[in-house]
Amino acid sequence: MPEPLLSVENLRTYFSSSRGTVKAVDGVSFTVERGETRAIVGESGCGKSMTALSLLQLVPEPAGYIDSGRILFETRDLLDLTWSQMREIRGREIAMIFQEPMTSLNPVHTVGQQIREAMSVHGKAAGEATDRAIYLLGRVGLEDPAQALRQYPHELSGGMRQRVMIAIALANQPKLLIADEPTTALDVTVQAQILALIRELQAETGMAVLLITHDLGIVAEVADQVSVMYAGQIIESADTRSLFKDPRHPYTKGLFASLPARNRRGQDLATLEGIVPDAAAWPPACRFAPRCPYRWESCDTLRPKLFPPESDRPVRCHLYDPTIPGWPRLEKAGTTAV
Ligand code: SF4
């Protein structure tokens, strides 16, 4: 079995605050194989974007810091690299696109300047960079790439700006693209076009994608593997087909129950009751316990671990661990798991 392109092990990203230590990412592990798409899905505030920023060591300082863990990218642990070694990796081997390109594009530089700069910092000559910029802008679907090179971000629509961001991200043919809610700000048609574009480019270049999203519809469309995050932890992982066929964690079940479905048209959507708990004061045992319809005494006293460990369908919930006092509860969870 070849080594994964990216292997994140027990990553902990914390923030110091007046209310104590905020454990935004708390022991997260996952892998991304070459060429595959892994989605990290969850509500806002669950730690998924902070996980992505941690990979590139872009955690907001000075309050935020990576406390521990390993981020193995090919053979290197990114946490061992110096700032300048990390700068070499960013944009060249691992690129990132964000939800709102206006915050990442420079408003006072033309599109052409920004794409060329992305390449020149990694050593590409000016003429070669211009040719590639025109190619990339055409490839991401801009009708007049030469004209787009001369335009400023504010002269483009939201969809065009996101295409430009993708062109910049692809400029140096990264091995891994981190896409943090890449289509959330776009209308449904443009959203579909951008997702199709990412898939096409991935098929062409063999690039792996780590997709951060709160949208299960997008996960179904593009992901091979899914990790569900809640309150700073991964609470369930599976291949996409298995997760959609048989979601196991009560939180994942709740997310699916809140999805619109054809056969539920005209009915109120189920919603997950409650909110993600305060990150400065996670519940002491199961972090989902205050919202969980299956909760029993052990859920408030024992911390659930991913179970079965080392499996391809681990779930962080006592319902799946027969050694927990008070088990079994599976009939009530309505599942055939374990
Ligand atoms: Fe619900 Fe208990 Fe499972 Fe937590 S451990 S998700 S409270 S059943």
Side-chain angles (χ1 to χ4, degrees):
M1 187 84 175
E3 289 297 306
L5 176 67
L6 176 74
S7 179
V8 177
E9 297 174 7
N10 226 358
L11 178 67
R12 295 179 197 277
T13 304
Y14 294 170
F15 285 79
S16 307
S17 85
S18 55
R19 294 179 302 133
T21 303
V22 173
K23 297 181 175 179
V25 178
D26 199 11
V28 161
S29 302
F30 61 89
T31 57
V32 184
E33 306 289 339
R34 286 169 202 277
E36 85 169 4
T37 297
R38 174 173 294 274
I40 297 188
V41 68
E43 291 168 285
S44 62
C46 69
K48 55 192 192 306
S49 290
M50 205 46 69
T51 301
L53 290 175
S54 303
L55 302 184
L56 287 175
Q57 294 179 42
L58 294 174
V59 176
E61 293 177 332
Y65 60 96
I66 295 176
D67 176 79
S68 56
R70 297 212 301 166
I71 302 172
L72 296 171
F73 182 71
E74 296 188 311
T75 54
R76 293 157 294 182
D77 184 346
L78 300 186
L79 295 180
D80 290 339
L81 301 188
T82 62
W83 181 252
S84 65
Q85 286 171 322
M86 201 56 220
R87 207 173 47 194
E88 277 297 300
I89 296 225
R90 271 189 228 117
R92 183 154 81 179
E93 299 194 51
I94 307 177
M96 186 158 179
I97 53 175
F98 299 90
Q99 175 179 337
E100 181 33 81
M102 264 323 250
T103 55
S104 359
L105 290 172
N106 188 329
V108 300
H109 288 156
T110 62
V111 165
Q113 285 169 324
Q114 297 187 59
I115 303 187
R116 282 192 295 259
E117 195 201 330
M119 288 182 269
S120 66
V121 294
H122 294 297
K124 195 153 271 181
E128 204 186 333
T130 299
D131 291 347
R132 183 155 169 80
I134 290 174
Y135 165 76
L136 285 166
L137 289 174
R139 187 61 200 83
V140 298
L142 293 190
E143 274 177 17
D144 187 347
Q147 156 80 1
L149 273 188
R150 295 189 292 273
Q151 289 182 297
Y152 289 88
H154 72 268
E155 298 178 288
L156 306 173
S157 68
M160 287 167 83
R161 285 199 289 265
Q162 195 53 289
R163 288 171 196 269
V164 168
M165 274 306 299
I166 294 172
I168 292 174
L170 295 180
N172 297 300
Q173 294 179 292
K175 294 172 184 162
L176 174 66
L177 175 69
I178 303 174
D180 187 0
E181 306 277 9
T183 59
T184 303
L186 305 173
D187 71 46
V188 177
T189 313
V190 181
Q191 203 172 76
Q193 291 168 355
I194 296 286
L195 292 175
L197 173 64
I198 292 175
R199 271 202 311 270
E200 263 173 54
L201 295 167
Q202 190 176 14
E204 271 171 34
T205 63
M207 156 181 93
V209 176
L210 179 66
L211 174 71
I212 309 295
T213 183
H214 66 277
D215 187 332
L216 282 168
I218 291 178
V219 172
E221 230 174 283
V222 302
D224 303 302
Q225 300 287 330
V226 193
S227 294
V228 183
M229 258 189 106
Y230 185 79
Q233 299 178 318
I234 287 178
I235 49 98
E236 176 164 11
S237 290
D239 67 85
T240 306
R241 185 188 290 257
S242 303
L243 190 90
F244 277 67
K245 203 166 141 211
D246 179 22
R248 295 185 178 176
H249 193 283
Y251 174 64
T252 320
K253 287 173 182 288
L255 287 180
F256 277 96
S258 64
L259 273 183
R262 265 192 222 111
N263 60 5
R264 289 203 290 267
R265 245 182 220 159
Q267 297 177 23
D268 284 343
L269 292 182
T271 48
L272 276 175
E273 278 184 26
I275 50 168
V276 178
D278 180 353
W282 297 131
C286 174
R287 296 178 181 181
F288 189 61
R291 302 172 77 182
C292 183
Y294 310 110
R295 171 185 189 175
W296 78 98
E297 302 76 40
S298 293
C299 304
D300 295 320
T301 52
L302 297 172
R303 286 185 188 166
K305 298 192 179 98
L306 285 169
F307 189 88
E310 311 295 325
S311 79
D312 55 3
R313 283 245 40 196
V315 186
R316 191 183 294 277
C317 172
H318 294 327
L319 288 168
Y320 298 87
D321 183 350
T323 65
I324 298 296
W327 195 89
R329 301 281 295 187
L330 290 176
E331 322 74 73
K332 202 171 171 203
T335 178
T336 53
V338 183

